[in-house]
Amino acid sequence: MGEARSDRSAGMSVEAQRWWDDQSAIDLYCADRSDTFAGRWREAGDTSEVLAFTNDPGQHISNLAALLNDATNVTVVQLPTSYRSLLEARDAIPGILGTTDGLASWGPDVKANCVIVTALPGHVEEIRTKLTGSYPDIVVVEGQRPMPT
């Protein structure tokens, strides 16, 4: 990516601009691979970027090393389910259940590589049965604790 661009914001250091450019490059790289991209998160006190793909981590590390100013703080891991598939499962949940009644929340957990569904008390088993029939490997149904009265 070379030196910082001349359109660098006033007051932004060259190092900060290089970091910003790398984040933009990572965004584009992941977006261009939506069929295999499985997630992204930060670790090590927010200093390390972890990218997950459903295929060959070594190839992604090589590709990223060629794109980034500093690829030393980027780790690539392999997970079985793409982020796109997690979003599709999340979006399908109301249709599978026929309602959102009994749901407290639902959405992807990229580090766990699944969709977490939190069901209200009294609905857990019914929701678990319906959803694991459609998505046995990527939907986890948890119960929400009842509110104290």
Side-chain angles (χ1 to χ4, degrees), residues 36-112:
T36 62
F37 175 66
R40 178 180 180 177
W41 60 90
R42 301 195 55 81
E43 291 185 345
D46 230 18
T47 62
S48 177
E49 188 91 25
V50 180
L51 305 175
F53 293 90
T54 61
N55 62 353
D56 190 5
Q59 184 61 51
H60 291 291
I61 285 289
S62 296
N63 294 346
L64 288 161
L67 290 174
L68 303 178
N69 291 303
D70 180 9
T72 59
N73 290 324
V74 176
T75 302
V76 175
V77 298
Q78 187 169 357
L79 295 174
T81 306
S82 73
Y83 187 66
R84 180 170 60 189
S85 294
L86 295 177
L87 293 177
E88 289 169 357
R90 176 206 62 194
D91 294 346
I93 287 171
I96 293 167
L97 298 176
T99 182
T100 57
D101 292 347
L103 293 176
S105 64
W106 66 100
D109 180 330
V110 294
K111 287 175 89 172

